[in-house]
Amino acid sequence: MVQFYSPNRRSVNRGIISVTADNLDAQGQGIARHQGKTIFIAGLLPDEQAQIQLTEEKRQFAKAKVVKRLSDSPHRVAPHCPHFKVCGGCQQQHVATELQVKTKASVLERLIQRETGISISAHPIIHSPEYGYRRRARLGLQYHAKQRTLLMGFRQSQTNDLVNIKHCPVMRPELEQLLQPLYQCLNSLHTVKRLGHVELVLADNGPLVVLRHLDSLKHEDKETLRLFSVQYNVAIYLLGDEKSLEPLAAEQPAPWYQVNGVKLVFSPQDFIQVNDVVNQKMVAQALAWLDLQPTDRVLDLFCGMGNFTLPIATQVQATVGVEGVAELVASGQYNARLNKLNNVDFFHENLESEIHQQPWAAQGFNKVLLDPARAGAAGVMAHIVKLAPEKVVYVSCNPTTLARDSKVLLEAGYHLVSVRMLDMFPHTGHLESMALFSSEPMIE
């Protein structure tokens, strides 16, 4: 048999080696060094010694699993969730919160230093409650034919298999307490085999459930859901396909939340920030950094339904929000009218297309806020520079694209004044942040 040599194929040493972790990455993996190579080890904390086995080996680094832990860090804590290590939702419940946030802030600082050459502190950190912070969660639904029962839960780590969730301590308590009765309700439906997913959302005016069903629901199933809705005081919405959201009861009030004194009504399918506590602090920090004045004209890019736009509008001459999702723009416009804010305009535009041809681009603004998706804001950075605003606040869910986009402002003469790490998703590897840029040097 002919054998072909592949230069990219590297054998993995399956032997057991002993290491001591000296650091932690943003994903909660221990970092150790062995024979000049960096090794990432899931579940190992700094200063812990362990016997490990490599699971993946590259030229510059390797990944490994713990075979036997030989010592415990004082930062190791007992996870609150019985599904930890099986459920893929949280990766760091075994790590003390203090170490989690310190590590993420350090990762952010190192990345900015490496990409921009600027040494800056990501403190003070915008903190979250340790548990009970998620006001939104989507759970998969899957009928197990052999066991003749429904599975409801999150995906296992690196698989498509569902973990049947009975408790989830990172959810808001009002949602977690619905898990078991909701499961029993859904498992009793005649169409149990044809359910897609279920989403739980906590609005300021109460919890709601969105049920994705693949077949039409029979009258008996709708009655079962109605009884559940009444018993647990939950608004239920039915999603027959991705565009046919219908309230189970016609008299259900629309969900809403408040931020900085503004009321935002939203559709259950609209994007809202998962962590309300951090969202409140984040919006307050952004408004403080912008130093809003009655004569300001402020541009909010990737504005969503106006989470920042509308609070800004309460303090300035005029605000413009630009967003690529039409439904969110419609929600923003409705909420501007609801809050009697007549100084706001929303535009539905693709911010990756020809920016200079869009109607908002011809207007003048002296301050800018942007909150892009993970891909960042490469398509708008040059136009922001062209606007020459006094201040720019960049809210980011990806520190890599934040660092990349920062270079455009820095090369145009802007100063990076301040950075914050936002603990939006405790116990996970998600790293959220925000940065303030000024056309003039500032002392915060």
Side-chain angles (χ1 to χ4, degrees):
M1 182 176 69
V2 178
Q3 292 184 332
F4 295 94
Y5 169 71
S6 172
N8 295 322
R9 186 183 299 157
R10 300 182 65 83
S11 61
V12 177
N13 179 3
R14 296 294 181 182
I16 305 299
I17 58 177
S18 293
V19 297
T20 300
D22 58 17
N23 211 334
L24 196 71
D25 73 357
Q27 304 299 318
Q29 300 178 112
I31 303 174
R33 273 81 182 175
H34 182 73
Q35 296 181 348
K37 180 171 289 188
T38 300
I39 305 176
F40 297 94
I41 310 141
L44 199 63
L45 301 186
D47 300 323
E48 289 185 338
Q49 186 179 13
Q51 293 177 342
I52 64 170
Q53 186 176 51
L54 300 187
T55 57
E56 182 181 345
E57 190 167 12
K58 303 290 185 182
R59 188 176 300 277
Q60 299 296 332
F61 70 92
K63 295 183 178 181
K65 64 179 181 180
V66 174
V67 175
K68 183 179 181 181
R69 195 170 65 247
L70 304 175
S71 62
D72 285 344
S73 164
H75 294 291
R76 180 173 291 278
V77 296
H80 284 209
C81 183
H83 306 292
F84 181 67
K85 289 190 176 179
V86 182
C87 174
C90 296
Q91 304 85 42
Q92 301 187 34
Q93 287 194 18
H94 64 299
V95 186
T97 300
E98 179 184 358
L99 180 58
Q100 289 185 39
V101 297
K102 179 181 177 182
T103 299
K104 290 181 183 180
S106 296
V107 168
L108 177 62
E109 291 165 0
R110 288 197 301 270
L111 184 59
I112 290 175
Q113 166 70 34
R114 187 185 73 200
E115 296 297 320
T116 69
I118 295 174
S119 295
I120 192 165
S121 172
H123 293 75
I125 292 164
I126 294 181
H127 288 279
S128 164
E130 267 191 272
Y131 288 94
Y133 66 84
R134 287 195 71 102
R135 64 175 171 180
R136 185 171 211 145
R138 176 182 286 195
L139 296 94
L141 298 174
Q142 189 177 85
Y143 187 75
H144 198 291
K146 289 184 178 180
Q147 298 180 7
R148 296 184 179 181
T149 191
L150 180 71
L151 297 178
M152 183 179 84
F154 301 116
R155 306 289 176 190
Q156 293 184 27
S157 179
Q158 299 181 335
T159 78
N160 286 323
D161 297 332
L162 288 181
V163 180
N164 208 29
I165 295 294
K166 296 182 179 180
H167 301 281
C168 183
V170 298
M171 282 188 191
R172 288 284 297 270
E174 299 95 324
L175 298 183
E176 188 191 19
Q177 67 187 13
L178 293 174
L179 287 176
Q180 296 198 48
L182 177 61
Y183 170 79
Q184 292 167 359
C185 173
L186 299 180
N187 197 38
S188 71
L189 299 181
H190 294 285
T191 49
V192 64
K193 297 179 182 179
R194 298 289 293 162
L195 301 178
H197 64 258
V198 64
E199 192 158 9
L200 288 79
V201 183
L202 183 63
D204 283 8
N205 57 328
L208 60 99
V209 167
V210 178
L211 177 63
R212 174 78 168 99
H213 54 96
L214 307 179
D215 289 343
S216 297
L217 295 179
K218 297 180 179 180
H219 172 76
E220 296 91 331
D221 284 349
K222 289 186 177 181
E223 182 63 16
T224 299
L225 291 167
R226 188 191 69 80
L227 291 173
F228 175 87
S229 173
V230 171
Q231 182 177 356
Y232 293 95
N233 196 26
V234 176
I236 295 181
Y237 293 80
L238 303 177
L239 190 61
D241 61 48
E242 293 302 326
K243 294 184 179 179
S244 65
L245 185 71
E246 295 180 0
L248 180 63
E251 69 276 9
Q252 287 177 183
W256 55 269
Y257 73 92
Q258 285 190 316
V259 58
N260 207 66
V262 175
K263 180 179 179 179
L264 281 81
V265 173
F266 63 95
S267 162
Q269 291 181 287
D270 285 347
F271 170 81
I272 63 170
Q273 292 289 352
V274 162
N275 191 323
D276 179 53
V277 172
V278 172
N279 185 53
Q280 300 286 342
K281 295 177 181 178
M282 175 178 69
V283 171
Q285 180 66 85
L287 270 59
W289 273 354
L290 288 170
D291 188 24
L292 299 173
Q293 304 297 323
T295 55
D296 286 340
R297 291 182 51 82
V298 183
L299 174 66
D300 182 6
L301 299 173
F302 311 94
C303 68
M305 57 183 281
N307 187 60
F308 291 99
T309 325
L310 299 176
I312 288 171
T314 64
Q315 302 182 34
V316 301
Q317 177 187 337
T319 310
V320 167
V322 187
E323 167 59 45
V325 179
E327 292 79 7
L328 294 177
V329 171
S331 292
Q333 292 168 335
Y334 174 85
N335 284 309
R337 294 192 297 270
L338 178 69
N339 290 277
K340 296 180 172 56
L341 295 170
N342 301 316
N343 59 340
V344 187
D345 287 316
F346 284 92
F347 291 88
H348 173 218
E349 299 288 348
N350 179 4
L351 290 171
E352 297 301 321
S353 66
E354 295 296 329
I355 301 297
H356 65 281
Q357 296 180 358
Q358 297 178 10
W360 62 269
Q363 300 184 32
F365 304 94
N366 66 317
K367 292 172 184 177
V368 173
L369 182 142
L370 62 159
D371 183 8
R374 291 190 59 79
V380 301
M381 298 310 296
H383 192 78
I384 291 174
V385 170
K386 182 180 176 182
L387 291 171
E390 303 162 20
K391 294 181 176 65
V392 177
V393 171
Y394 191 131
V395 180
S396 169
C397 60
N398 184 348
T400 301
T401 50
L402 167 63
R404 179 201 69 197
D405 295 342
S406 295
K407 293 180 185 178
V408 179
L409 295 173
L410 296 171
E411 289 169 0
Y414 281 81
H415 303 271
L416 178 56
V417 177
S418 192
V419 175
R420 293 282 184 273
M421 200 287 283
L422 310 173
D423 193 21
M424 186 74 77
F425 298 98
H427 312 300
T428 78
H430 294 289
L431 201 169
E432 308 259 335
S433 58
M434 56 194 300
L436 169 65
F437 300 85
S438 174
S439 59
E440 298 293 336
M442 296 171 59
I443 299 177
E444 198 180 10

